[in-house]
Amino acid sequence: MQFFNHFLREKGVSADIRSLLYHVARAVKYINFSLRAGNTQQLTTQNASGESQLKLDVLADQIITNELQKSELAHIIASEEQEKVRKFAAPRGKYGVSFDPLDGSSLVDTNLAIGSIFGIWDCGESFIGTTGRKNLVASCYAVYGPRVTFVIAIKNKGTHEFELNDVGEFTVTRENIQLKPDSKYFAPGNLRAGKGNARYLQLIQEWILEGRTLRYSGGMVPDLNHILCKEEGIFSYPHDQKYPQGKLRLLFECAPFAFLFAEAGGSALDQEGLPILDIKVKEIHQRTSIFIGSKNEVEKAIKILK
Ligand code: AHM
Ligand code: MG
């Protein structure tokens, strides 16, 4: 059994990134406590995108913000729950951290798995103009399910899974996750797009007629976690009339996941075939379509859609 900190040190991860990840892991632990306490109340407030908030969305945002401030390494932070980037004095370093404090919060009342997503950027004074390929140095997510798992990717050092044990420590459970290029699993998001997009309908039909296995919960974190754990699969979320750019956010959800999948030998493209890691950040709450998972499956899907 190997502990989180020890594992990262052995992998040669820099002291800065280890320290940032330590604070992120602490935030994950506190968010998990709040969730287990049944703190699921709906608020009357809305987030930066006009979506209604839970008490837990706000709490998770505060917990993460406090931990990042304590790290003294995060000088700019961007949260899905906040309209603007916040700046802090960071005497120990100059990283940007983007996060979705509680992804899938509409699933909280149904007791399905949800998660938190983080991107760690080496990005100077602003996120604007950055790309995941050039500026992301690490990304990670937590799954709050029957167990709490924490999956981390560090640039050129792979994607690894840890599990929160009963004394509050993270231990390694999967090392160097690697995706197969082909898969039998599919997780088709936003089927509503099929109404105006015959090609998306065709793609879904092909997946069904090929006898593939559906694995879809409606939460991006558990749906993508399924792919990484089974080492195969594809998740799609195309744009449609309601979300002309797609629903999912580049900075908080798609770029961090594209980085985790790239480190695991997978791929992530937008509907036009552009690698998610090459999309330039033009605004904090920018959205994108996304097709992510096993390399050949993502390529085949985009060929049908283009
Ligand atoms: P959220 O960040 O407001 O929770 O929304 C993101 C979630 C993803 O977890 C999931 O893949 C997607 O929204 C599902 O969208 P829809 O409800 O439109 O099917
Ligand atoms: Mg989200």
Side-chain angles (χ1 to χ4, degrees), residues 121-145:
W121 306 71
D122 189 356
C123 63
E125 297 300 312
S126 169
F127 290 103
I128 307 302
T130 58
T131 64
R133 182 142 0 247
K134 267 195 272 165
N135 303 95
L136 267 174
V137 289
S139 68
C140 53
Y141 67 89
V143 188
Y144 312 106

PDB file of all heavy atoms in Angstrom, residues 121-145:
ATOM      1  N   TRP A 121      -2.606  25.121 -13.907  1.00  0.00           N
ATOM      2  CA  TRP A 121      -2.045  25.764 -15.090  1.00  0.00           C
ATOM      3  C   TRP A 121      -0.799  26.559 -14.737  1.00  0.00           C
ATOM      4  O   TRP A 121      -0.784  27.273 -13.723  1.00  0.00           O
ATOM      5  CB  TRP A 121      -3.066  26.735 -15.697  1.00  0.00           C
ATOM      6  CG  TRP A 121      -4.407  26.138 -16.010  1.00  0.00           C
ATOM      7  CD1 TRP A 121      -5.348  25.736 -15.094  1.00  0.00           C
ATOM      8  CD2 TRP A 121      -4.952  25.865 -17.304  1.00  0.00           C
ATOM      9  NE1 TRP A 121      -6.448  25.237 -15.763  1.00  0.00           N
ATOM     10  CE2 TRP A 121      -6.240  25.306 -17.104  1.00  0.00           C
ATOM     11  CE3 TRP A 121      -4.490  26.058 -18.610  1.00  0.00           C
ATOM     12  CZ2 TRP A 121      -7.060  24.930 -18.167  1.00  0.00           C
ATOM     13  CZ3 TRP A 121      -5.316  25.681 -19.662  1.00  0.00           C
ATOM     14  CH2 TRP A 121      -6.581  25.120 -19.444  1.00  0.00           C
ATOM     15  N   ASP A 122       0.198  26.453 -15.580  1.00  0.00           N
ATOM     16  CA  ASP A 122       1.357  27.324 -15.472  1.00  0.00           C
ATOM     17  C   ASP A 122       1.078  28.443 -16.476  1.00  0.00           C
ATOM     18  O   ASP A 122       1.344  28.284 -17.662  1.00  0.00           O
ATOM     19  CB  ASP A 122       2.609  26.519 -15.855  1.00  0.00           C
ATOM     20  CG  ASP A 122       3.870  27.299 -15.568  1.00  0.00           C
ATOM     21  OD1 ASP A 122       3.753  28.463 -15.149  1.00  0.00           O
ATOM     22  OD2 ASP A 122       4.961  26.745 -15.776  1.00  0.00           O
ATOM     23  N   CYS A 123       0.484  29.535 -16.011  1.00  0.00           N
ATOM     24  CA  CYS A 123      -0.146  30.441 -16.982  1.00  0.00           C
ATOM     25  C   CYS A 123       0.076  31.930 -16.738  1.00  0.00           C
ATOM     26  O   CYS A 123      -0.653  32.757 -17.285  1.00  0.00           O
ATOM     27  CB  CYS A 123      -1.640  30.160 -17.032  1.00  0.00           C
ATOM     28  SG  CYS A 123      -2.456  30.480 -15.480  1.00  0.00           S
ATOM     29  N   GLY A 124       1.018  32.309 -15.949  1.00  0.00           N
ATOM     30  CA  GLY A 124       1.236  33.747 -15.763  1.00  0.00           C
ATOM     31  C   GLY A 124       0.048  34.406 -15.086  1.00  0.00           C
ATOM     32  O   GLY A 124      -0.585  33.827 -14.216  1.00  0.00           O
ATOM     33  N   GLU A 125      -0.297  35.623 -15.557  1.00  0.00           N
ATOM     34  CA  GLU A 125      -1.282  36.446 -14.848  1.00  0.00           C
ATOM     35  C   GLU A 125      -2.727  36.171 -15.233  1.00  0.00           C
ATOM     36  O   GLU A 125      -3.637  36.749 -14.659  1.00  0.00           O
ATOM     37  CB  GLU A 125      -0.981  37.940 -15.104  1.00  0.00           C
ATOM     38  CG  GLU A 125       0.374  38.416 -14.575  1.00  0.00           C
ATOM     39  CD  GLU A 125       0.512  38.226 -13.057  1.00  0.00           C
ATOM     40  OE1 GLU A 125      -0.422  38.620 -12.330  1.00  0.00           O
ATOM     41  OE2 GLU A 125       1.539  37.662 -12.617  1.00  0.00           O
ATOM     42  N   SER A 126      -2.944  35.358 -16.292  1.00  0.00           N
ATOM     43  CA  SER A 126      -4.314  35.201 -16.781  1.00  0.00           C
ATOM     44  C   SER A 126      -4.495  33.830 -17.444  1.00  0.00           C
ATOM     45  O   SER A 126      -3.540  33.255 -17.974  1.00  0.00           O
ATOM     46  CB  SER A 126      -4.586  36.311 -17.804  1.00  0.00           C
ATOM     47  OG  SER A 126      -5.787  36.062 -18.484  1.00  0.00           O
ATOM     48  N   PHE A 127      -5.751  33.354 -17.420  1.00  0.00           N
ATOM     49  CA  PHE A 127      -6.058  32.109 -18.135  1.00  0.00           C
ATOM     50  C   PHE A 127      -6.285  32.390 -19.629  1.00  0.00           C
ATOM     51  O   PHE A 127      -6.205  31.476 -20.452  1.00  0.00           O
ATOM     52  CB  PHE A 127      -7.334  31.473 -17.580  1.00  0.00           C
ATOM     53  CG  PHE A 127      -7.183  30.912 -16.191  1.00  0.00           C
ATOM     54  CD1 PHE A 127      -7.683  31.602 -15.089  1.00  0.00           C
ATOM     55  CD2 PHE A 127      -6.556  29.690 -15.980  1.00  0.00           C
ATOM     56  CE1 PHE A 127      -7.556  31.079 -13.813  1.00  0.00           C
ATOM     57  CE2 PHE A 127      -6.425  29.162 -14.705  1.00  0.00           C
ATOM     58  CZ  PHE A 127      -6.924  29.864 -13.620  1.00  0.00           C
ATOM     59  N   ILE A 128      -6.614  33.630 -19.941  1.00  0.00           N
ATOM     60  CA  ILE A 128      -6.962  33.975 -21.324  1.00  0.00           C
ATOM     61  C   ILE A 128      -5.730  33.795 -22.229  1.00  0.00           C
ATOM     62  O   ILE A 128      -4.631  34.244 -21.895  1.00  0.00           O
ATOM     63  CB  ILE A 128      -7.480  35.445 -21.417  1.00  0.00           C
ATOM     64  CG1 ILE A 128      -8.619  35.682 -20.411  1.00  0.00           C
ATOM     65  CG2 ILE A 128      -7.900  35.802 -22.847  1.00  0.00           C
ATOM     66  CD1 ILE A 128      -9.832  34.776 -20.562  1.00  0.00           C
ATOM     67  N   GLY A 129      -5.955  33.125 -23.358  1.00  0.00           N
ATOM     68  CA  GLY A 129      -4.853  32.903 -24.306  1.00  0.00           C
ATOM     69  C   GLY A 129      -4.112  31.593 -24.053  1.00  0.00           C
ATOM     70  O   GLY A 129      -3.255  31.203 -24.840  1.00  0.00           O
ATOM     71  N   THR A 130      -4.449  30.911 -22.961  1.00  0.00           N
ATOM     72  CA  THR A 130      -3.745  29.648 -22.681  1.00  0.00           C
ATOM     73  C   THR A 130      -4.404  28.502 -23.462  1.00  0.00           C
ATOM     74  O   THR A 130      -5.536  28.624 -23.938  1.00  0.00           O
ATOM     75  CB  THR A 130      -3.821  29.278 -21.182  1.00  0.00           C
ATOM     76  OG1 THR A 130      -5.195  29.174 -20.830  1.00  0.00           O
ATOM     77  CG2 THR A 130      -3.160  30.321 -20.313  1.00  0.00           C
ATOM     78  N   THR A 131      -3.683  27.391 -23.577  1.00  0.00           N
ATOM     79  CA  THR A 131      -4.291  26.145 -24.071  1.00  0.00           C
ATOM     80  C   THR A 131      -3.887  25.043 -23.093  1.00  0.00           C
ATOM     81  O   THR A 131      -2.841  25.142 -22.432  1.00  0.00           O
ATOM     82  CB  THR A 131      -3.783  25.741 -25.480  1.00  0.00           C
ATOM     83  OG1 THR A 131      -2.383  25.456 -25.397  1.00  0.00           O
ATOM     84  CG2 THR A 131      -4.039  26.810 -26.524  1.00  0.00           C
ATOM     85  N   GLY A 132      -4.697  24.011 -23.051  1.00  0.00           N
ATOM     86  CA  GLY A 132      -4.370  22.877 -22.176  1.00  0.00           C
ATOM     87  C   GLY A 132      -3.025  22.281 -22.538  1.00  0.00           C
ATOM     88  O   GLY A 132      -2.246  21.890 -21.677  1.00  0.00           O
ATOM     89  N   ARG A 133      -2.760  22.218 -23.846  1.00  0.00           N
ATOM     90  CA  ARG A 133      -1.509  21.584 -24.289  1.00  0.00           C
ATOM     91  C   ARG A 133      -0.283  22.334 -23.761  1.00  0.00           C
ATOM     92  O   ARG A 133       0.659  21.729 -23.280  1.00  0.00           O
ATOM     93  CB  ARG A 133      -1.471  21.520 -25.817  1.00  0.00           C
ATOM     94  CG  ARG A 133      -0.244  20.831 -26.293  1.00  0.00           C
ATOM     95  CD  ARG A 133      -0.317  19.919 -27.487  1.00  0.00           C
ATOM     96  NE  ARG A 133      -1.534  19.714 -28.171  1.00  0.00           N
ATOM     97  CZ  ARG A 133      -2.191  18.537 -28.186  1.00  0.00           C
ATOM     98  NH1 ARG A 133      -1.733  17.505 -27.505  1.00  0.00           N
ATOM     99  NH2 ARG A 133      -3.302  18.411 -28.888  1.00  0.00           N
ATOM    100  N   LYS A 134      -0.322  23.682 -23.863  1.00  0.00           N
ATOM    101  CA  LYS A 134       0.865  24.466 -23.466  1.00  0.00           C
ATOM    102  C   LYS A 134       0.922  24.708 -21.967  1.00  0.00           C
ATOM    103  O   LYS A 134       1.999  24.757 -21.385  1.00  0.00           O
ATOM    104  CB  LYS A 134       0.826  25.832 -24.174  1.00  0.00           C
ATOM    105  CG  LYS A 134       1.597  25.824 -25.504  1.00  0.00           C
ATOM    106  CD  LYS A 134       1.858  27.222 -25.987  1.00  0.00           C
ATOM    107  CE  LYS A 134       0.685  27.659 -26.805  1.00  0.00           C
ATOM    108  NZ  LYS A 134       0.479  28.988 -27.146  1.00  0.00           N
ATOM    109  N   ASN A 135      -0.229  24.921 -21.350  1.00  0.00           N
ATOM    110  CA  ASN A 135      -0.209  25.479 -20.001  1.00  0.00           C
ATOM    111  C   ASN A 135      -0.669  24.562 -18.863  1.00  0.00           C
ATOM    112  O   ASN A 135      -0.400  24.869 -17.701  1.00  0.00           O
ATOM    113  CB  ASN A 135      -1.027  26.767 -19.962  1.00  0.00           C
ATOM    114  CG  ASN A 135      -0.524  27.786 -20.970  1.00  0.00           C
ATOM    115  OD1 ASN A 135      -1.029  27.868 -22.084  1.00  0.00           O
ATOM    116  ND2 ASN A 135       0.500  28.525 -20.615  1.00  0.00           N
ATOM    117  N   LEU A 136      -1.379  23.468 -19.192  1.00  0.00           N
ATOM    118  CA  LEU A 136      -1.778  22.586 -18.079  1.00  0.00           C
ATOM    119  C   LEU A 136      -0.567  21.775 -17.624  1.00  0.00           C
ATOM    120  O   LEU A 136       0.136  21.192 -18.463  1.00  0.00           O
ATOM    121  CB  LEU A 136      -2.887  21.632 -18.525  1.00  0.00           C
ATOM    122  CG  LEU A 136      -4.325  22.071 -18.286  1.00  0.00           C
ATOM    123  CD1 LEU A 136      -5.304  21.088 -18.922  1.00  0.00           C
ATOM    124  CD2 LEU A 136      -4.642  22.222 -16.799  1.00  0.00           C
ATOM    125  N   VAL A 137      -0.335  21.729 -16.322  1.00  0.00           N
ATOM    126  CA  VAL A 137       0.780  20.922 -15.819  1.00  0.00           C
ATOM    127  C   VAL A 137       0.282  19.711 -15.028  1.00  0.00           C
ATOM    128  O   VAL A 137       1.008  18.738 -14.836  1.00  0.00           O
ATOM    129  CB  VAL A 137       1.764  21.747 -14.954  1.00  0.00           C
ATOM    130  CG1 VAL A 137       2.557  22.701 -15.822  1.00  0.00           C
ATOM    131  CG2 VAL A 137       1.051  22.514 -13.851  1.00  0.00           C
ATOM    132  N   ALA A 138      -0.952  19.781 -14.583  1.00  0.00           N
ATOM    133  CA  ALA A 138      -1.563  18.647 -13.883  1.00  0.00           C
ATOM    134  C   ALA A 138      -3.069  18.850 -13.888  1.00  0.00           C
ATOM    135  O   ALA A 138      -3.547  19.974 -14.036  1.00  0.00           O
ATOM    136  CB  ALA A 138      -1.070  18.575 -12.439  1.00  0.00           C
ATOM    137  N   SER A 139      -3.807  17.763 -13.772  1.00  0.00           N
ATOM    138  CA  SER A 139      -5.242  17.910 -13.533  1.00  0.00           C
ATOM    139  C   SER A 139      -5.722  16.693 -12.771  1.00  0.00           C
ATOM    140  O   SER A 139      -5.042  15.658 -12.716  1.00  0.00           O
ATOM    141  CB  SER A 139      -6.018  18.146 -14.822  1.00  0.00           C
ATOM    142  OG  SER A 139      -6.007  17.022 -15.632  1.00  0.00           O
ATOM    143  N   CYS A 140      -6.870  16.820 -12.149  1.00  0.00           N
ATOM    144  CA  CYS A 140      -7.362  15.730 -11.315  1.00  0.00           C
ATOM    145  C   CYS A 140      -8.860  15.866 -11.091  1.00  0.00           C
ATOM    146  O   CYS A 140      -9.438  16.919 -11.356  1.00  0.00           O
ATOM    147  CB  CYS A 140      -6.636  15.714  -9.970  1.00  0.00           C
ATOM    148  SG  CYS A 140      -6.645  17.268  -9.087  1.00  0.00           S
ATOM    149  N   TYR A 141      -9.452  14.789 -10.618  1.00  0.00           N
ATOM    150  CA  TYR A 141     -10.868  14.839 -10.238  1.00  0.00           C
ATOM    151  C   TYR A 141     -11.113  13.868  -9.106  1.00  0.00           C
ATOM    152  O   TYR A 141     -10.357  12.898  -8.916  1.00  0.00           O
ATOM    153  CB  TYR A 141     -11.788  14.533 -11.439  1.00  0.00           C
ATOM    154  CG  TYR A 141     -11.688  13.115 -11.953  1.00  0.00           C
ATOM    155  CD1 TYR A 141     -12.490  12.096 -11.427  1.00  0.00           C
ATOM    156  CD2 TYR A 141     -10.786  12.771 -12.947  1.00  0.00           C
ATOM    157  CE1 TYR A 141     -12.397  10.798 -11.894  1.00  0.00           C
ATOM    158  CE2 TYR A 141     -10.689  11.467 -13.416  1.00  0.00           C
ATOM    159  CZ  TYR A 141     -11.499  10.489 -12.888  1.00  0.00           C
ATOM    160  OH  TYR A 141     -11.401   9.198 -13.334  1.00  0.00           O
ATOM    161  N   ALA A 142     -12.175  14.139  -8.341  1.00  0.00           N
ATOM    162  CA  ALA A 142     -12.582  13.230  -7.274  1.00  0.00           C
ATOM    163  C   ALA A 142     -13.953  12.683  -7.622  1.00  0.00           C
ATOM    164  O   ALA A 142     -14.777  13.398  -8.193  1.00  0.00           O
ATOM    165  CB  ALA A 142     -12.655  13.981  -5.954  1.00  0.00           C
ATOM    166  N   VAL A 143     -14.186  11.423  -7.290  1.00  0.00           N
ATOM    167  CA  VAL A 143     -15.522  10.828  -7.427  1.00  0.00           C
ATOM    168  C   VAL A 143     -16.055  10.554  -6.031  1.00  0.00           C
ATOM    169  O   VAL A 143     -15.425   9.832  -5.256  1.00  0.00           O
ATOM    170  CB  VAL A 143     -15.488   9.473  -8.179  1.00  0.00           C
ATOM    171  CG1 VAL A 143     -16.912   8.985  -8.463  1.00  0.00           C
ATOM    172  CG2 VAL A 143     -14.687   9.557  -9.457  1.00  0.00           C
ATOM    173  N   TYR A 144     -17.222  11.176  -5.716  1.00  0.00           N
ATOM    174  CA  TYR A 144     -17.893  10.891  -4.445  1.00  0.00           C
ATOM    175  C   TYR A 144     -18.971   9.854  -4.737  1.00  0.00           C
ATOM    176  O   TYR A 144     -20.074  10.198  -5.174  1.00  0.00           O
ATOM    177  CB  TYR A 144     -18.508  12.166  -3.857  1.00  0.00           C
ATOM    178  CG  TYR A 144     -17.538  13.338  -3.846  1.00  0.00           C
ATOM    179  CD1 TYR A 144     -17.667  14.388  -4.760  1.00  0.00           C
ATOM    180  CD2 TYR A 144     -16.480  13.379  -2.932  1.00  0.00           C
ATOM    181  CE1 TYR A 144     -16.783  15.454  -4.762  1.00  0.00           C
ATOM    182  CE2 TYR A 144     -15.580  14.446  -2.936  1.00  0.00           C
ATOM    183  CZ  TYR A 144     -15.739  15.475  -3.852  1.00  0.00           C
ATOM    184  OH  TYR A 144     -14.854  16.529  -3.867  1.00  0.00           O
ATOM    185  N   GLY A 145     -18.610   8.600  -4.618  1.00  0.00           N
ATOM    186  CA  GLY A 145     -19.553   7.506  -4.864  1.00  0.00           C
ATOM    187  C   GLY A 145     -19.604   6.655  -3.620  1.00  0.00           C
ATOM    188  O   GLY A 145     -19.294   7.136  -2.524  1.00  0.00           O
TER     189      GLY A 145
END
